[in-house]
Amino acid sequence: DVPPTKDGPDYEEGFGCSSMVGCHFFGHWLRDDCASMLLDEPGPRLDLGWPDWQDGDFYRAQFDLGAIATRYARVRRLVLVEDFHQNSHKAERFRTLRARVAAHGTPRPGPIVYLARGGGTARNYENEAEVIDLLAARGVEIVRTESSPTPETVSRLLGASMVIGIEGSQFSPALYTIADRAALLTIQPPTRFFISHKDWSDSLGMKHGFVVGDRTATGYRLNPEDLLRTIDLLV
């Protein structure tokens, strides 16, 4: 939190285009707040998401939003909006951002990509190595998000026909890069079921599926056959 005595810029009016969750979680900032920054409201757009997020500057440049990244400001007339509904107007803004990302690269002809997270105590996915070997044998591309530079990850996701991965913020870039009418397949830990990406993908007419892992004493395991059958349903 910023102390109330901290200095900051002064504005007569401004547009606070950040949500509560977007100020705390990178995936929500990328998926929701960046779309809000395209709204036509008076004054400078004030992006309250953390300015020091590792990939924040990369996506700000990709999206060409022109928002001012700040955590503290004095604004005489501040406009705030509720922009969490996945309606047609928001879908058009998503398409604008998708087009801007595509303009920075060259979409490939429809690969299936698996995003290997490789960490996170809340996602103790015990047999991920086995699943990766199985998918790689079927021609699925494996992208290790924690070791791959963000520009490389985005480049490999451009034009993908399906992206598979563990539920979490890593899915948010996929939603800006996969092909039209493509599919997202979420691997769900059995103790934290959350598929907010389905709302996003539904608004753009994309497919969405999920497979829930089986709980173990120390985490969970995914049934590979369940995953393969779900892939076949989404292709």
Side-chain angles (χ1 to χ4, degrees), residues 1 3 33-34 45 48 59 101 103 111 120 143 169 208 215 233:
D1 294 334
D33 293 5
C34 288
R45 297 179 179 88
L48 306 180
Y59 286 106
V101 173
V143 175
S169 295
H208 187 278
R215 191 172 185 177
L233 288 171

Side-chain angles (χ1 to χ4, degrees), residues 3 21 33 54 110 113 193 203:
V21 289
D33 293 5
Q54 179 179 349
V113 179
F193 191 88
S203 71

Side-chain angles (χ1 to χ4, degrees), residues 61-202:
Q62 290 271 303
F63 294 152
D64 189 25
L65 295 170
I68 299 171
T70 182
R71 291 295 287 176
Y72 187 86
R74 299 180 186 89
V75 185
R76 184 176 181 84
R77 179 177 179 272
L78 178 66
V79 175
L80 300 173
V81 299
E82 289 186 346
D83 191 34
F84 52 81
H85 300 287
Q86 306 298 335
N87 52 32
S88 59
H89 187 265
K90 194 170 186 180
E92 286 304 312
R93 285 178 274 137
F94 286 146
R95 292 188 181 96
T96 296
L97 296 178
R98 282 171 53 82
R100 292 180 183 181
V101 173
H104 286 88
T106 304
R108 296 181 298 152
I112 297 177
V113 179
Y114 179 88
L115 298 177
R117 185 182 180 92
T121 55
R123 302 173 176 87
N124 192 7
Y125 177 9
E126 295 176 354
N127 66 328
E128 183 176 24
E130 173 192 353
V131 171
I132 286 175
D133 288 344
L134 177 65
L135 293 177
R138 289 178 55 127
V140 175
E141 294 189 18
I142 310 300
V143 175
R144 301 186 183 276
T145 58
E146 294 191 347
S147 60
S148 175
T150 300
E152 179 183 332
T153 297
V154 169
S155 176
R156 294 182 66 181
L157 290 175
L158 275 176
S161 61
M162 183 185 302
V163 174
I164 308 165
I166 307 164
E167 178 274 317
S169 295
Q170 66 168 356
F171 254 144
S172 297
L175 292 164
Y176 287 112
T177 53
I178 61 178
D180 292 337
R181 307 296 177 182
L184 290 177
L185 176 50
T186 306
I187 296 169
Q188 289 286 347
T191 56
R192 46 175 295 139
F193 191 88
F194 186 65
I195 51 171
S196 62
H197 292 89
K198 183 180 188 302
D199 293 336
W200 199 103
S201 53
D202 282 354

